[in-house]
């Protein structure tokens, strides 16, 4: 006869309990709407993943509190590593293992790698962070809740012309985002009578830019535009300033992150970004800003806004489908988006075009004391 001890009794009683809890967890997962996140969560671009996730998490909290849907929302995270390879691996897991029906993505290269996988499975992908021109119309199931970089360039170039900044030196990452930005900037600046006097490509992992900075200094451009992301941006700014380049530094919305905003050498940086008016008094924006300040003690960023809006957009579409007695899936979500077009989101009404891209006002900002101050 086996000896019965307290440990074996506890083990015997815990086993069915653990099994019961596991079964309950599985049941909740099966009944939930699974939303995936495909963000960089480690490495040089992890800062973006944290920012993106915080916006999505607050939206889930609000959707749940408002009881907008009959089923709970469940976020499943995969680390894209900010690379195409990481994006493909993560998207495969979200689609085939987690059975996500709606995935939040960021980064141009990651999006292009993940889009074919999502398209085959008819999983909706929503981008709130990548701005490469190629992301427009990437797939019927791929939507953008962030204006793409050609929209930012179209606002920046008239500003440059008005401020006599016509000769621009460019440093850009050699990937789909950087190459697309180079093409857009060259086209619009040339058409406006300006010119790109130097165009240096860099790898996403490069950290030394002193040679490029020395060469740009000899060209004496009116301004220097850099197109990079993550921690690399701070290195570019510091090394340009260390090289004695005092001309205005220009960039896009990807620099609106704490590691750049809190950098002393970045004071005066000129960057374009979607308008973010936190003083709006519509109930959606007001609640978002109030709760954000209460939770984080600071103002949100446009990235927080975008991924909040991405989750809210799902809730609004799924709510509409539930009321109509229709299933919630890629085709029905897309049909509902195109049938409705206009949604109450943070920042005001969001309007989507035939490609599933949102339109939003772009402004030119100057970085002053860590804050973005609209200047044009």
């Amino acid at each position: 006869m086996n000896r019965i001890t307290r440990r074996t009794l506890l083990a015997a009683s815990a086993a069915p309990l653990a099994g019961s809890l596991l079964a309950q967890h599985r049941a909740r997962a099966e009944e939930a709407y699974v939303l995936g996140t495909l963000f960089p969560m480690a490495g040089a671009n992890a800062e973006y993943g944290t920012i993106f996730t915080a916006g999505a998490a607050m939206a889930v909290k609000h959707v749940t509190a408002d009881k907008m849907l009959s089923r709970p929302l469940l976020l499943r995270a995969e680390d894209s590593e900010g690379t195409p390879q990481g994006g493909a691996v993560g998207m495969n897991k979200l689609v085939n293992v987690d059975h996500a029906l709606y995935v939040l993505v960021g980064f141009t290269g990651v999006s292009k790698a993940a889009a074919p996988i999502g398209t085959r499975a008819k999983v909706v992908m929503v981008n709130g962070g990548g701005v490469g021109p190629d992301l427009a119309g990437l797939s019927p199931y791929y939507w953008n809740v962030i204006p793409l970089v050609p929209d930012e360039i179209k606002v920046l170039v008239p500003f440059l012309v008005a401020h006599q900044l016509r000769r621009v030196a460019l440093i850009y990452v050699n990937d789909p985002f950087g190459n697309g930005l180079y093409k857009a900037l060259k086209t619009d600046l040339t058409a406006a009578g300006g010119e790109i006097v130097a165009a240096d490509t860099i790898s996403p992992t490069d950290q030394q830019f002193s040679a490029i900075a020395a060469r740009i200094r000899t060209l004496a451009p009116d301004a220097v535009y850099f197109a990079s992301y993550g921690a690399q941006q701070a290195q570019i700014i510091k090394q340009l300033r260390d090289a004695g380049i005092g001309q205005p530094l220009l960039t896009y919305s990807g620099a609106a992150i704490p590691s750049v905003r809190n950098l002393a050498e970045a004071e005066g940086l000129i960057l374009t970004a979607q308008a973010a008016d936190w003083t709006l008094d519509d109930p959606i924006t007001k609640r978002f800003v109030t709760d954000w300040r209460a939770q984080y003690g600071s103002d949100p960023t446009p990235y927080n806004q975008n991924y909040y809006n991405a989750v809210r957009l799902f809730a609004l579409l799924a709510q509409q489908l539930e009321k109509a007695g229709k299933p919630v899936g890629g085709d029905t979500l897309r049909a509902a988006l195109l049938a409705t077009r206009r949604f109450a989101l943070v920042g005001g009404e969001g309007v989507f075009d035939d490609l599933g891209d949102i339109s939003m006002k772009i402004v030119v900002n100057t970085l002053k004391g860590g804050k973005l101050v609209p200047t044009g």
Side-chain angles (χ1 to χ4, degrees), residues 111-135:
S111 294
K112 295 186 73 171
I117 301 166
T119 301
R120 283 195 296 274
K122 296 186 176 183
V123 170
V124 170
M125 298 156 280
V126 181
N127 165 48
V131 293
D134 295 351
L135 299 183

Side-chain angles (χ1 to χ4, degrees), residues 175-223:
D175 68 3
F177 152 68
N179 293 324
L181 183 143
Y182 168 58
K183 184 177 179 181
L185 180 60
K186 184 178 181 180
T187 300
D188 286 15
L189 189 59
T190 302
E195 64 175 320
I196 294 179
V197 298
D200 289 280
T201 59
I202 57 176
S203 160
T205 58
D206 286 348
Q207 292 294 311
Q208 297 300 322
F209 311 101
S210 55
I212 293 175
R215 195 169 72 83
I216 288 176
R217 189 178 62 231
T218 64
L219 296 172
D222 296 331

Side-chain angles (χ1 to χ4, degrees), residues 25-26 28-38 71 74-79 89-103 121 123:
H25 175 75
R26 285 174 176 165
R28 285 197 297 271
E30 288 172 359
E31 72 179 11
Y33 291 122
V34 179
L35 275 56
T37 63
L38 192 56
R71 296 160 59 181
L74 185 63
L75 284 182
R76 293 289 196 198
E78 282 297 320
D79 184 1
V89 172
M91 189 67 184
N92 262 315
K93 184 168 184 300
L94 288 170
V95 168
N96 297 313
V97 178
D98 296 318
H99 304 296
L101 54 79
Y102 191 92
V103 174
V123 170

Side-chain angles (χ1 to χ4, degrees), residues 114-330:
I117 301 166
T119 301
R120 283 195 296 274
K122 296 186 176 183
V123 170
V124 170
M125 298 156 280
V126 181
N127 165 48
V131 293
D134 295 351
L135 299 183
L138 193 58
S139 160
Y141 303 95
Y142 186 95
W143 309 337
N144 293 294
V145 292
I146 181 174
L148 303 182
V149 79
D151 294 337
E152 296 192 39
I153 296 297
K154 288 188 183 306
V155 173
L156 177 68
V157 168
F159 174 88
L160 297 179
V161 172
H163 291 78
Q164 302 299 313
L165 303 174
R166 297 175 183 273
R167 300 178 67 254
V168 176
L170 173 66
I171 302 170
Y172 66 102
V173 175
N174 188 15
D175 68 3
F177 152 68
N179 293 324
L181 183 143
Y182 168 58
K183 184 177 179 181
L185 180 60
K186 184 178 181 180
T187 300
D188 286 15
L189 189 59
T190 302
E195 64 175 320
I196 294 179
V197 298
D200 289 280
T201 59
I202 57 176
S203 160
T205 58
D206 286 348
Q207 292 294 311
Q208 297 300 322
F209 311 101
S210 55
I212 293 175
R215 195 169 72 83
I216 288 176
R217 189 178 62 231
T218 64
L219 296 172
D222 296 331
V224 180
Y225 192 113
F226 63 89
S228 174
Y229 37 76
Q232 189 182 61
Q233 298 176 110
Q235 290 301 319
I236 293 173
I237 295 169
K238 289 169 65 176
Q239 292 180 40
L240 287 174
R241 291 307 189 208
D242 288 347
I245 294 176
Q247 289 95 330
L249 300 184
L250 317 168
T251 192
Y252 74 112
S253 53
I257 55 177
S259 60
V260 173
R261 295 170 67 154
N262 297 329
L263 185 70
E265 292 88 343
E267 183 72 9
L269 178 68
I270 297 170
L271 68 159
T272 47
Q274 66 199 68
D277 184 358
W278 304 138
T279 66
L280 293 175
D281 63 357
D282 71 89
I284 306 300
T285 302
K286 193 170 183 177
R287 179 191 194 190
F288 168 71
V289 175
T290 300
D291 286 4
W292 194 274
R293 288 171 175 166
Q295 184 167 346
Y296 296 102
S298 63
D299 281 348
T301 71
Y303 286 138
N304 301 134
Q305 171 189 1
N306 293 343
Y307 286 102
Y308 182 99
N309 282 341
V311 172
R312 177 170 169 79
L313 177 63
F314 171 82
L316 291 170
L317 293 171
Q319 185 182 52
Q320 185 183 126
L321 293 170
E322 285 187 351
K323 288 180 179 176
K326 296 180 180 179
V328 178

Side-chain angles (χ1 to χ4, degrees), residues 51-82:
I51 295 170
F52 296 170
T53 302
M58 180 164 284
V60 170
K61 182 179 176 182
H62 286 175
V63 169
T64 302
D66 294 346
K67 296 181 172 57
M68 291 180 66
L69 301 171
S70 66
R71 296 160 59 181
L73 292 182
L74 185 63
L75 284 182
R76 293 289 196 198
E78 282 297 320
D79 184 1
S80 73
E81 303 173 0

